[in-house]
Amino acid sequence: MLNNNFFWVSFDPHSKKPIPYDQRSSRHLEAALRAKMTDVTLLVDVEEAGFIVNIQLDLVGGQHVQRSANGTGERSVRRAES
């Protein structure tokens, strides 16, 4: 059984600092992972606006990747438990 005290973060590609997803997005990613989905689309909050991203879930190695829908960027995504 999976721990329910989870959170999801992406890593800024320049500073390498973790950027937490909001609670709604984290729950969406968690549900997708548990359903063994490999492709998730989210609307994330960025500077008072929405930004569409696609997340490829790596069900084997946990090396998830976020790509912007407009093709401008890519970053690592990780799941962690507290």
Side-chain angles (χ1 to χ4, degrees):
M1 181 170 186
L2 290 174
N3 181 347
N4 286 322
N5 297 319
F6 59 85
F7 59 98
W8 287 80
V9 298
S10 67
F11 289 89
D12 182 287
H14 303 291
S15 69
K16 308 299 184 210
K17 291 183 180 180
I19 310 296
Y21 286 96
D22 62 41
Q23 189 176 43
R24 181 180 52 87
S25 294
S26 284
R27 284 195 312 262
H28 190 83
L29 286 167
E30 188 68 17
L33 181 70
R34 292 181 185 200
K36 298 188 182 337
M37 295 173 64
T38 58
D39 186 38
V40 179
T41 300
L42 293 177
L43 177 66
V44 295
D45 295 326
V46 177
E47 299 175 4
E48 300 179 13
F51 192 67
I52 298 171
V53 297
N54 297 310
I55 300 169
Q56 299 298 308
L57 296 175
D58 174 4
L59 302 178
V60 177
Q63 302 297 311
H64 317 298
V65 177
Q66 172 186 301
R67 292 183 179 91
S68 58
N70 65 6
T72 60
E74 179 177 300
R75 57 177 61 196
S76 296
V77 174
R78 297 292 177 268
R79 178 195 187 275
E81 294 182 1
S82 58

